[in-house]
Amino acid sequence: MKLKTKADLAMRAFLCACLVPSVGMLLLPEEPAAANQALAQPPSLTTGEGKVNPQVLDEVTDYVADHFALRQRLITADASLQALVFQTSAQDSVVMGKDGWLFYRETLDDYLHTDPLTERELFGAARTLALLSEYAQSRGASLTFTVAPNKASLYPQYLPYVGIPLNGEDDIDRLVPLLEEQGVKYADLFFPFREQEQVLYHAADSHWTRRGAALAHDALSNALGLENRVEWFTQPGQTAKTHRGDLYEMLYPTGSALEGETQFDHPFAFTYVRPIRGPEDQRIQTENSAQTGSLLMFRDSFGNTLFPFMAEDFAQAAFSRSMPYQMALLDETGADTVLIELVERNLDYLVDNPPIFSAPLRQLTGAPASGKVFARIVSQEDGQLEGHIRLEGTLSGPVDVDSPIYVQLGDSLYEASPVGMGEDGEYPFTLYVPSGASLDHVRVLYLLDGQVLQAGQTDFSHR
């Protein structure tokens, strides 16, 4: 065969191969998204106002990139090749560790101390949890906060070389003393996990194993002072390879490797109030006639395996994945126990996502002097708390790092959650106040050198 003919055939074969992903979109069924992927939506020629969509070409590009034929198989093949040849991850969000371990890249900041929370952010988180605890107590409930450890925090020996951690403490170790100062009950999960020689996190997943969830349950039940409960961690069970790790699925969407997971011999006694689609449901409610008490638990994905154990301990339990936390659920459920579980890597959620609850009233004696701080407040009726409007704002200027923030509306003084969105150097705050609150005379109060002052200038607007 002549060289020209060979080259021509090779070119034709190459062009045909290039056409397979695009032409296959018309012929082959679409593959589902893997792990936590969010695929691009179909492009639209017009906007919501009926005008020509100027982003339509970008949307077409994104859609084709996410939906071309054999996408998942090609991604898996590419990731396998990179792992085999270069020992690197094909996904920016996944880090390949030792002995087949995988880690979320975003947890490396916590491990290396490269992006710590500021002292003000830590105070804001602690003070906001204290306000939630106060709210729970006003409803006859107790509140406990707990943190699920990052996998890298418990098993750094499986990390690849990512650098030497900078001096300083982990954010959670800096937060705990502030929680104690603010009177927030904290249940430590780091200590019981570090005490165990047994590995209790999946190698190819970002979460603990079911046995690890059992250990977390035992520690939390003890912290809550619960009686008549099962010590799940020591219960016998059968282990079988049934678990497909989320990090593994992100790297190898069509891969088939499975990890061991425990099925406990002891059966669960609770029942679901209504059928669930799966553990990722935004809200799950359970009942257990053999128990007493009621639980409201705000949880994240670590609660997928934890919630069945917690459901065993209460006559009624509600598990919510809402973020920000909606404390109206406490009024709705009438729970006597509130538990907030949050993974270590997402501690900044406490700073960026102010919880939704009615701001507490405070008393002020005397007239505070005027300070040099500039306050900006925006009000809006966002509909997230019935009968309330949302006020969000910032302070710019010298303020004590551990200063609460108060907003006076007419004769009423409210304490704000000292968290929210703001620029560097600003002190954000957020609060929900009754819709009928007076907005004609607004003052913002804060502490400087321990003295109560009011903002020298306040810019108030309505959105």
Side-chain angles (χ1 to χ4, degrees):
M1 187 180 295
K2 295 182 179 180
L3 181 62
K4 182 178 180 181
T5 303
K6 291 181 178 179
D8 184 59
L9 290 174
M11 180 59 70
R12 290 171 185 270
F14 175 74
L15 291 175
C16 288
C18 291
L19 288 173
V20 168
S22 55
V23 175
M25 291 178 66
L26 304 175
L27 304 176
L28 299 175
E30 183 175 340
E31 296 175 322
N36 298 321
Q37 290 178 324
L39 302 182
Q41 297 299 309
S44 176
L45 292 176
T46 59
T47 64
E49 295 81 21
K51 300 179 181 179
V52 176
N53 181 9
Q55 306 297 325
V56 65
L57 293 180
D58 291 335
E59 291 180 4
V60 169
T61 300
D62 293 340
Y63 182 80
V64 172
D66 280 355
H67 296 267
F68 63 81
L70 305 179
R71 178 178 184 272
Q72 307 291 38
R73 289 176 173 80
L74 293 173
I75 288 174
T76 300
D78 175 62
S80 300
L81 182 63
Q82 291 196 43
L84 179 64
V85 177
F86 303 108
Q87 298 295 307
T88 59
S89 168
Q91 283 281 346
D92 290 340
S93 56
V94 180
V95 173
M96 297 194 69
K98 302 173 184 176
D99 299 335
W101 278 57
L102 302 175
F103 294 85
Y104 257 138
R105 185 175 297 278
E106 66 184 47
T107 63
L108 296 185
D109 284 338
D110 291 325
Y111 173 72
L112 296 172
H113 305 152
T114 51
D115 189 24
L117 294 174
T118 67
E119 292 298 325
R120 178 61 186 180
E121 289 172 333
L122 289 168
F123 170 80
R127 185 60 193 162
T128 299
L129 287 170
L131 295 178
L132 293 183
S133 181
E134 178 184 340
Y135 184 92
Q137 290 174 8
S138 71
R139 269 69 178 172
S142 62
L143 182 144
T144 300
F145 176 66
T146 192
V147 174
N150 291 340
K151 189 162 77 169
S153 296
L154 298 179
Y155 307 106
Q157 67 271 26
Y158 292 106
L159 281 169
Y161 179 76
V162 293
I164 300 174
L166 300 176
N167 292 332
E169 294 181 296
D170 294 341
D171 282 341
I172 182 59
D173 293 329
R174 299 165 59 213
L175 177 62
V176 169
L178 298 180
L179 295 176
E180 294 176 353
E181 290 177 9
Q182 293 294 325
V184 177
K185 186 176 181 181
Y186 170 70
D188 180 18
L189 295 181
F190 287 78
F191 179 76
F193 272 89
R194 285 170 174 158
E195 268 198 321
Q196 296 295 326
E197 294 184 3
Q198 180 182 353
V199 173
L200 296 171
Y201 276 53
H202 290 293
D205 195 290
S206 58
H207 302 90
W208 48 40
T209 64
R210 193 171 293 152
R211 182 74 68 178
L215 178 65
H217 159 269
D218 293 352
L220 292 172
S221 293
N222 183 61
L224 295 173
L226 301 181
E227 299 178 353
N228 190 27
R229 61 186 176 86
V230 175
E231 292 280 353
W232 282 98
F233 182 67
T234 55
Q235 289 294 314
Q238 310 303 315
T239 301
K241 289 191 174 183
T242 58
H243 183 78
R244 191 163 184 253
D246 60 350
L247 301 179
Y248 174 85
E249 189 175 359
M250 290 171 65
L251 267 184
Y252 313 109
T254 60
S256 58
L258 299 174
E259 293 185 73
E261 188 63 288
T262 300
Q263 182 66 44
F264 289 96
D265 297 339
H266 195 291
F268 287 123
F270 75 86
T271 58
Y272 293 103
V273 173
R274 62 180 63 88
I276 68 170
R277 292 167 298 176
E280 293 280 353
D281 281 9
Q282 279 293 106
R283 185 170 176 182
I284 296 172
Q285 289 183 272
T286 63
E287 295 177 332
N288 187 350
S289 59
Q291 294 289 7
T292 60
S294 53
L295 170 71
L296 170 61
M297 179 176 174
F298 294 102
R299 53 94 177 192
D300 54 22
S301 57
F302 275 76
N304 290 0
T305 49
L306 177 60
F307 88 82
F309 298 105
M310 300 304 303
E312 280 293 282
D313 293 341
F314 295 89
Q316 292 89 32
F319 304 90
S320 172
R321 292 199 64 174
S322 68
M323 176 58 76
Y325 305 130
Q326 299 186 24
M327 296 304 290
L329 289 176
L330 178 57
D331 300 303
E332 179 182 334
T333 62
D336 54 45
T337 302
V338 179
L339 177 63
I340 297 177
E341 174 271 315
L342 184 66
V343 66
E344 180 186 2
R345 66 174 178 266
N346 290 336
L347 282 176
D348 58 345
Y349 282 16
L350 297 173
V351 178
D352 298 334
N353 297 274
I356 302 169
F357 68 108
S358 183
L361 283 166
R362 301 296 189 230
Q363 295 293 326
L364 176 67
T365 57
S370 180
K372 299 180 180 180
V373 164
F374 171 75
R376 177 182 59 83
I377 301 180
V378 177
S379 72
Q380 61 175 322
E381 298 184 20
D382 62 4
Q384 296 195 76
L385 184 59
E386 185 178 357
H388 289 72
I389 60 175
R390 174 188 175 99
L391 302 181
E392 54 184 4
T394 57
L395 292 178
S396 301
V399 177
D400 285 349
V401 170
D402 58 351
S403 169
I405 296 178
Y406 308 94
V407 177
Q408 184 170 2
L409 305 175
D411 295 329
S412 300
L413 183 68
Y414 301 89
E415 181 172 353
S417 299
V419 293
M421 304 304 293
E423 302 294 333
D424 289 343
E426 292 183 333
Y427 293 75
F429 58 91
T430 310
L431 67 160
Y432 284 83
V433 299
S435 299
S438 172
L439 301 179
D440 295 332
H441 180 65
V442 180
R443 291 195 303 171
V444 181
L445 310 182
Y446 62 96
L447 298 182
L448 179 62
D449 297 328
Q451 179 184 1
V452 179
L453 300 174
Q454 65 172 309
Q457 179 182 350
T458 299
D459 179 16
F460 183 85
S461 61
H462 183 76
R463 185 181 299 165

